Amino acid sequence: MSGFSPLDQAMMARALALAGRGLFTTTPNPRVGCVIAQGERVVGEGWHERAGDAHAEANALSQAGDAARGATVYLTLEPCNHHGRTPPCAEALAAAGVARVVCAMRDPNPAAAHGADRLAAAGIAVEHGLLEEEARELNLGFVSRMTRGRPWVRMKIAATLDGRSALADGRSQWITGEAARLDGHRWRARACAVLTGIGTVKADDPRLSVRGVDTPRQPLRVVVDSRLETPPAARVLEGGNVLVFCGTDDAGRRRALEAKGAEVVLLANREGKVDLPPMLEALARRGVNELQVEGGFKLNGSLLREGCVDEFLLYLNPSLLGDAAQGMVNLPAPDSLDARVKLRLHAVERVGEDLRVIARR
């Protein structure tokens, strides 16, 4: 923050708030906000809403018009420097005659990066790093896909205070209260895809769709189903936009699922189960930035053991189920306390009658 004025910080905070308006809609693109100011006066602002539409800079420049000349531009992400579905934003800013550009963070996409260099070459003052952590947090999925070739994986679990996520027979509806369930749908809405396993499909017959939240886009629904046991009548298949990963192929079962509009992908490991790390890479290639996992304790454990989890979205209900119920994650007992899976708390908040805990690896 050194070198940035209180005005700079306020303008960038405004740009971040604008970027947040695209929380549910920009996938697979990043969430970006832009503010153009002449001193303390905002002359143009905009945000990127969805892929294929104008970028934040173009929207702000359109609003600013001639007032953009000599102005300072506050951007949550370095302006793009390539021809995609839209022209390069760095070129548009230079043509508008802006005097200074402040970016929260560099663009992690190598195909679109170096917009700041193009601006500097045009004689425009360029600075970056203002509220960078907040900007990165807003686009942690996009950053993950660009830098690691895999989505940011968020594992959502609803559990009791004694760490139980389902009855012994797998039933888990409903452990948490209505407010927590609605909050979970908001997290679904921001995800590019929601993933579950065949065990949850059989036990709960979930839809995995966003409900109760105003969103123009439903996430891709993904089922990990090693032996293609998903019933063709399963509610998760309703309306299409479903991807089923399997470990062994069965032509008849595959055709039945395809007839319901699902896409079936064979991706097996040596045991004939779904190979989970390559599955994440396959989802990234499809433009999935954030993946929300809503599975049972077996799938949760497999994903965790194979290093496929970045974040836990945990809802704790003030109740107890006892030792006979299922735990949150199927993991072998460690030999010592030092060998336990260690997380760091990111946020803790009360949601209705429940507690929401966000913890990261």
Side-chain angles (χ1 to χ4, degrees):
M1 302 284 282
S2 176
F4 294 110
S5 70
L7 177 62
D8 288 334
Q9 295 177 38
M11 290 296 182
M12 186 61 79
R14 183 167 182 161
L16 284 165
L18 290 168
R21 297 187 185 184
L23 189 67
F24 299 164
T25 59
T26 63
T27 181
N29 289 354
R31 299 142 182 159
V32 183
C34 177
V35 172
I36 302 176
Q38 292 280 5
E40 296 184 0
R41 182 170 64 95
V42 173
V43 296
E45 59 184 20
W47 68 93
H48 181 51
E49 186 173 347
R50 59 176 58 86
D53 287 0
H55 286 190
E57 301 94 317
N59 289 327
L61 286 170
S62 176
Q63 189 178 106
D66 292 340
R69 186 163 298 277
T72 295
V73 180
Y74 298 91
L75 267 169
T76 60
L77 184 70
E78 178 183 10
C80 66
N81 191 36
H82 79 309
H83 282 273
R85 300 191 207 187
T86 59
C89 292
E91 181 181 283
L93 290 169
V98 304
R100 176 183 179 228
V101 175
V102 181
C103 306
M105 62 177 287
R106 295 279 196 177
D107 193 335
N109 180 4
H114 307 299
D117 297 337
R118 184 169 186 169
L119 293 172
I124 298 169
V126 181
E127 301 165 73
H128 63 87
L130 176 58
L131 299 183
E132 181 175 1
E133 184 176 344
E134 290 84 350
R136 189 171 296 273
E137 185 71 25
L138 188 62
N139 282 306
L140 77 182
F142 180 75
V143 172
S144 176
R145 183 165 66 87
M146 290 296 110
T147 60
R148 302 190 300 171
R150 50 163 279 184
W152 179 267
V153 179
R154 178 181 298 114
M155 181 173 285
K156 181 243 180 184
I157 303 176
T160 57
L161 286 184
D162 55 349
R164 304 300 170 180
S165 61
L167 296 174
D169 61 8
R171 287 178 293 158
S172 61
Q173 298 178 332
W174 298 105
I175 285 179
T176 55
E178 184 176 349
R181 296 199 298 273
L182 182 61
D183 190 68
H185 278 273
R186 293 191 185 97
W187 286 93
R188 268 188 195 178
R190 70 172 282 171
C192 306
V194 182
L195 179 145
T196 196
I198 183 60
T200 299
V201 170
K202 288 180 175 180
D204 293 340
D205 195 18
R207 293 187 181 93
L208 296 188
S209 57
V210 176
R211 301 183 298 281
V213 176
D214 186 17
T215 176
R217 175 192 63 87
Q218 288 289 341
L220 172 70
R221 291 169 291 172
V222 183
V223 180
V224 177
D225 181 5
S226 292
R227 295 188 294 272
L228 289 179
E229 297 175 302
T230 301
R235 293 193 298 180
V236 72
L237 300 175
E238 294 174 359
N241 196 30
V242 180
L243 185 59
V244 179
F245 284 98
C246 63
T248 57
D249 197 8
D250 181 295
R253 293 178 178 180
R254 173 167 40 82
R255 284 194 295 268
L257 295 177
E258 291 172 343
K260 296 291 291 186
E263 180 182 354
V264 178
V265 176
L266 177 63
L267 192 60
N269 61 17
R270 294 177 181 177
E271 291 75 38
K273 297 181 178 180
V274 176
D275 204 348
L276 298 175
M279 178 191 72
L280 296 185
E281 296 170 4
L283 290 172
R285 289 193 294 271
R286 293 168 180 261
V288 174
N289 293 331
E290 295 182 25
L291 174 67
Q292 181 152 311
V293 176
E294 300 191 19
F297 80 119
K298 290 183 179 179
L299 177 60
N300 290 349
S302 296
L303 287 164
L304 188 58
R305 286 193 302 273
E306 297 196 39
C308 296
V309 182
D310 300 302
E311 179 176 81
F312 288 85
L313 175 64
L314 177 60
Y315 295 93
L316 289 175
N317 181 264
S319 60
L320 305 170
L321 273 179
D323 292 340
Q326 291 183 6
M328 294 187 291
V329 180
N330 183 26
L331 286 177
D335 295 330
S336 67
L337 286 175
D338 289 338
R340 69 191 186 274
V341 177
K342 296 178 182 179
L343 308 172
R344 54 185 176 87
L345 285 177
H346 178 73
V348 180
E349 185 176 344
R350 182 168 178 171
V351 180
E353 63 190 67
D354 303 292
L355 192 66
R356 184 184 68 200
V357 178
I358 298 177
R360 293 178 176 172
R361 299 295 304 272

